Amino acid sequence: MANVRVGVDVGGTFTKAVAVDGSGTAVATAIVPTTHEHPDGVAAGVVDVVAKLAAKVGAANIDLVTHSTTQAVNALLEGDVAVVGILGMATAPNVRKARKRTALDRIELTDGRALRTVHEFLDISPGLDANEVRSALQRLVGAGAQAVCVAEAFAPDDATNELAVAAMAAEMGLPVTTSAELTGLYGLELRTITAALNASILPIAMQTAELVRAGVSSVGVPGAVMVMRGDGGATDLSGFRRAPARTLYSGPAASVAGALRTGRIDDAVIIEVGGTSTNIAAIKAGRPVLSYVRVGRHSTAIRALDVRVAGVAGGSMLRVRRGQVYGVGPRSAHIAGLPYACFLSHRNFDGAEATTISPRPNDPPDYMVLRLADGARVALTNTCAANALGVTQPGDYATGNGDAARAAFEIVGRSLRLAGDEIARRMLVATTQHLGDLVAEVASEHGIEHPTLVAVGGGAGGVGRALADAMHLECVIPPSAEIISSIGDALSLVRAEREKTFPKSPSPAELDALIAEVESDALAAGASPSSLDVAISQISERGAVRVVATGALALGSGVAPGRPPIDEQQAAGITELGGVGGGVRRVGSYWLAAEASASRVMAVDRFGDVVLDVRGDVVAMDNGDRASQLELAVTRRVRHLGPVTLSPVAWLLDGNRLTELGEVTGDDLARQVAGASPEAVVVIGRE
């Protein structure tokens, strides 16, 4: 069994792993409780499940291990972060403003927790003095800094000074992040906050990366180790060590990636129902919605899945106050260390009594459990309620013993003077109301009027089905929903992204330099050069350009992508399902479908993801009359709203690149695409 890829999802409750063969089929699984209390932290669980899979499929057959992690987000949420020394720099006349914008005294995280920072500032108008830099770094260490953030005004234009300071910090053994390392956007305070947050989790990320690398190697696995990013791509351990903040929300991103691998999903809301929490994310036109990560009240320049996290899920426990159902969660049976009632036999409840407990010290004593005749305690969870009410279906991972669940709720019902099924119903109502509000919020925010609810995770068949029923939505539970995040990890692609602000429209040379930088990042993370696709988009409101490169991992003797490239027939099937018939044709690394009668154009990348879906026209660059054809297409797509004229948007598909050219006129467009290859096409229209 050669060429096996392993995906590992580190959840709040369990660490799950799956081994996937070359066809994308799961051939082995392993699950262990997440090792929060282990001296090596969650890394111990990753190594444990990889070792278990290595014993099943053969360590030498594992080409790649990719894991998603909650470590970055948990570190920020729990305040388990290093003290960060911020070294600000600027030249005249920007010294005063830069000093103020880098002196961030308190970076709030959550629940009263804050990132502690200490500060130094250098006026480098006369030039960068190495002795002054080293003295400033030593003062930061003396003030308690355990990691360093370097932030210079206008560093996106020239990062030479930041990189020089970073090299000196590294010589002193300090973990360091520069402000231009994670983003090319202007905005010194934004870059400083982003870099400081990243620096604060560098020590723990570096430790985890080394523990995982050494542990995976120790069980005989020769393949590379990758980490899932929050935007749905993967990076190698070197990238994780440099920018752990990019792994924020990597767990939800893995579940979305896994769901998207199971079939065509257009407009949907994906809910990942775990044991302790539920993640909610939107899919718009077949693509996950990304946004800038917020930490506390602070915006950052890190882009990740736009996800909502709710502290209620399949294992959330029943709470009772004053003889009435009070609510559900946030404590789960897993946190309390108790079994679910629905996974026992109804005979276990002979002589059982209802009582309340505090699952953890300082928790309110209102969590209802059953004390069995032998003194053991059993939790009543959302999954138990779903089984008691017949919500789950045969084959669902959440399906348990309905008779046992009903017997357990009847015992509680007697203590509350309610029918057992009414208590179960109230649990699910409280849960679906809370989750339903978030689903409706996500759908409304992204213009999805009637989404399909795609439920994944261990609790999908219980909470997921109940939520879809309450909201009158179609519910889809993909195969292997309980390990979908691990599948998403195993089948991940390398992704690199960078944004850069330009004072004026970038020249072709500047754009090519930015593209080369992003492609270099993707190649450094292990992508095969021949697999790279590049998307360039304009962010007009900020005068910025965003470049995203995705590619398959290069393993061993050749490319072994998580998803094999699709062929013409598969591409035609995807476009037809999307409503654009008439077949497809290859344009560079893309498949293009255009239906004149419906005025629809759809482009699909080599792995089957829809990257462009617009109402518009296509002009081939090998057309001898292309200048007039471009002008006609632009004229045809201009819209007039009273006195306002709305120009269309153009995209260029050329080789491995999909470039958004922004709003265009006929003359401008002809000039912009003058250097394109004869095989390229231009799409003019509107999304």
Side-chain angles (χ1 to χ4, degrees):
M1 188 184 297
N3 302 121
V4 172
R5 297 162 63 99
V6 168
V8 184
D9 177 57
V10 183
T13 305
F14 292 110
T15 296
K16 301 179 180 180
V18 61
V20 176
D21 66 14
S23 67
T25 302
V27 295
T29 60
I31 301 175
V32 302
T34 296
T35 52
H36 294 295
E37 307 302 326
H38 192 280
D40 291 342
V42 297
V46 174
V47 175
D48 190 7
V49 289
V50 171
K52 285 178 166 55
L53 287 183
K56 295 179 181 180
V57 304
N61 293 322
I62 298 176
D63 287 329
L64 176 73
V65 176
T66 304
H67 71 92
S68 53
T69 176
T70 58
Q71 187 171 48
V73 70
N74 285 348
L76 294 175
L77 290 174
E78 296 167 10
D80 185 17
V81 292
V83 178
V84 175
I86 300 176
L87 178 55
M89 301 184 296
T91 59
N94 304 301
V95 171
R96 185 179 62 82
K97 289 182 179 179
R99 186 190 301 273
K100 178 180 179 181
R101 289 170 182 166
T102 57
L104 307 176
D105 292 327
R106 180 181 178 84
I107 301 178
E108 293 183 5
L109 300 175
T110 184
D111 295 335
R113 296 180 176 89
L115 168 60
R116 183 188 162 203
T117 59
V118 292
H119 310 90
E120 288 287 334
F121 189 87
L122 297 178
D123 180 350
I124 57 173
S125 299
L128 190 69
D129 186 308
N131 291 327
E132 287 187 359
V133 170
R134 291 190 177 93
S135 296
L137 291 172
Q138 289 169 353
R139 290 193 296 272
L140 288 173
V141 172
Q146 300 161 302
V148 172
C149 154
V150 186
E152 181 189 5
F154 302 103
D157 291 340
D158 183 356
T160 303
N161 290 330
E162 285 195 347
L163 292 174
V165 174
M168 286 183 254
E171 288 174 1
M172 296 172 60
L174 290 169
V176 58
T177 300
T178 68
S179 78
E181 186 175 354
L182 297 175
T183 179
L185 294 178
Y186 289 150
L188 181 57
E189 185 171 340
L190 173 70
R191 286 188 285 113
T192 304
I193 288 173
T194 303
L197 289 169
N198 187 74
S200 75
I201 53 180
L202 278 176
I204 191 170
M206 295 169 71
Q207 179 186 30
T208 297
E210 179 55 31
L211 288 169
V212 171
R213 184 205 61 77
V216 170
S217 178
S218 72
V219 300
V221 174
V225 178
M226 306 282 288
V227 184
M228 193 77 172
R229 293 172 24 147
D231 57 14
T235 185
D236 63 355
L237 288 180
S238 175
F240 177 53
R241 291 187 189 99
R242 292 193 310 273
R246 294 199 188 280
T247 68
L248 289 165
Y249 302 121
S250 76
S255 66
V256 169
L260 289 172
R261 304 301 182 257
T262 64
R264 175 68 183 163
I265 299 174
D266 289 309
D267 288 350
V269 173
I270 293 183
I271 63 164
E272 181 188 17
V273 186
T276 304
S277 62
T278 297
N279 301 315
I280 300 169
I283 299 295
K284 180 73 171 175
R287 284 175 280 180
V289 177
L290 302 182
S291 65
Y292 292 97
V293 172
R294 291 185 64 85
V295 176
R297 295 185 294 106
H298 306 284
S299 295
T300 74
I302 298 293
R303 291 213 320 143
L305 199 74
D306 184 11
V307 62
R308 310 294 196 277
V309 181
V312 60
S316 299
M317 296 169 61
L318 171 66
R319 298 178 66 181
V320 172
R321 289 186 181 178
R322 299 187 182 90
Q324 295 182 338
V325 173
Y326 172 73
V328 184
R331 290 299 188 203
S332 68
H334 310 279
I335 298 298
L338 301 177
Y340 290 37
C342 62
F343 295 133
L344 302 178
S345 166
H346 69 278
R347 289 188 293 273
N348 290 111
F349 300 109
D350 293 341
E353 296 180 349
T355 187
T356 54
I357 65 166
S358 298
R360 287 289 184 91
N362 301 320
D363 283 348
D366 58 9
Y367 286 83
M368 178 67 76
V369 300
L370 295 182
R371 183 187 296 114
L372 306 186
D374 63 1
R377 291 173 174 173
V378 176
L380 293 104
T381 68
N382 274 326
T383 298
C384 298
N387 277 275
L389 297 175
V391 173
T392 56
Q393 297 181 8
D396 287 342
Y397 187 78
T399 296
N401 187 326
D403 290 338
R406 285 185 285 274
F409 277 103
E410 284 300 325
I411 294 170
V412 174
R414 287 196 292 271
S415 71
L416 300 183
R417 299 180 182 179
L418 284 172
D421 60 356
E422 176 60 18
I423 296 173
R425 188 192 70 81
R426 293 186 184 187
M427 282 189 72
L428 290 185
V429 167
T431 297
T432 56
Q433 284 180 342
H434 180 50
L435 295 180
D437 287 344
L438 293 177
V439 169
E441 176 184 303
V442 167
S444 174
E445 187 171 316
H446 299 296
I448 305 175
E449 293 185 3
H450 196 74
T452 298
L453 194 71
V454 180
V456 299
V463 170
R465 290 192 191 280
L467 178 60
D469 184 63
M471 298 187 73
H472 306 292
L473 298 176
E474 177 189 2
C475 183
V476 173
I477 299 181
S480 302
E482 70 279 4
I483 55 171
I484 207 79
S485 293
S486 301
I487 292 173
D489 288 318
L491 302 184
S492 60
L493 298 173
V494 173
R495 188 178 194 277
E497 175 181 312
R498 193 163 183 82
E499 290 182 353
K500 187 173 180 61
T501 307
F502 292 93
K504 55 184 179 180
S505 296
S507 67
E510 289 174 323
L511 190 56
D512 283 343
L514 180 59
I515 292 168
E517 185 179 338
V518 178
E519 288 179 331
S520 177
D521 288 345
L523 294 173
S528 163
S530 63
S531 74
L532 280 183
D533 285 332
V534 178
I536 303 105
S537 56
Q538 308 280 343
I539 310 171
S540 55
E541 65 271 18
R542 292 201 307 276
V545 174
R546 177 183 299 142
V547 178
V548 179
T550 57
L553 296 167
L555 299 177
S557 61
V559 178
R563 292 176 291 167
I566 61 173
D567 58 24
E568 182 176 354
Q569 183 177 359
Q570 291 170 311
I574 292 170
T575 58
E576 286 175 7
L577 190 61
V580 184
V584 297
R585 62 187 175 103
R586 184 181 286 280
V587 178
S589 65
Y590 300 92
W591 294 99
L592 185 71
E595 189 171 355
S597 60
S599 192
R600 283 276 300 282
V601 180
M602 183 179 289
V604 180
D605 71 13
R606 74 187 74 196
F607 300 111
D609 286 337
V610 176
V611 294
L612 187 63
D613 186 358
V614 302
R615 294 195 175 277
D617 301 294
V618 177
V619 177
M621 293 303 293
D622 62 0
N623 188 324
D625 192 27
R626 67 173 183 239
S628 60
Q629 291 297 316
L630 289 170
E631 188 169 357
L632 282 173
V634 170
T635 302
R636 188 158 48 241
R637 294 295 164 183
V638 168
R639 295 290 179 266
H640 299 282
L641 297 178
V644 179
T645 299
L646 301 177
S647 297
V649 176
W651 294 264
L652 174 67
L653 280 78
D654 192 359
N656 292 344
R657 296 181 181 178
L658 169 63
T659 305
E660 180 187 331
L661 302 174
E663 294 187 352
V664 293
T665 64
D667 290 341
D668 286 341
L669 181 54
R671 284 193 296 270
Q672 285 178 278
V673 301
S677 69
E679 295 78 20
V681 302
V682 179
V683 179
I684 303 102
R686 301 181 184 284
E687 289 188 288

